[in-house]
Amino acid sequence: MRREENWAVDEGRIRAFFIAQPDVTQAKDGFTFGSCQIRLIPVSGQLLGKWQQQRTIVIMDGPEEDTAQIYQRFFLQFLSAGG
């Protein structure tokens, strides 16, 4: 299962979330949760063509069970950010 989403959340906040998870391990190119690989790609953009806004592309790729479990935690943590 692969989930790729562009979130209106700074990469540092997302990175801190994954580091704080006791069952998530840092890898050379992101994180792992069970057999799910997690990558963060920072991107910048403009809001209403005027204000710089940091965004992060979050890619989770792995078995459906692992991916769904870590995605649910991530989603609940950042739901109020508006994705």
Side-chain angles (χ1 to χ4, degrees):
M1 170 180 209
R2 181 180 171 95
R3 295 191 79 102
E4 182 172 337
E5 298 178 349
N6 189 331
W7 281 76
V9 180
D10 182 77
E11 179 199 12
R13 285 185 59 204
I14 296 175
R15 184 171 297 285
F17 165 78
F18 284 117
I19 289 171
Q21 301 303 301
D23 49 359
V24 171
T25 305
Q26 269 192 288
K28 66 177 182 170
D29 60 345
F31 300 91
T32 59
F33 172 78
S35 295
C36 178
Q37 303 296 314
I38 304 163
R39 289 184 35 224
L40 307 178
I41 303 170
V43 293
S44 61
Q46 289 190 340
L47 181 63
L48 301 174
K50 297 179 183 181
W51 299 282
Q52 279 297 107
Q53 181 181 31
Q54 293 301 311
R55 301 186 67 87
T56 305
I57 296 173
V58 179
I59 302 170
M60 297 180 185
D61 196 8
E64 185 172 356
E65 184 178 334
D66 290 347
T67 303
Q69 188 176 355
I70 194 62
Y71 178 77
Q72 181 179 17
R73 275 194 240 169
F74 169 79
F75 182 79
L76 292 174
Q77 175 69 30
F78 292 104
L79 177 62
S80 65

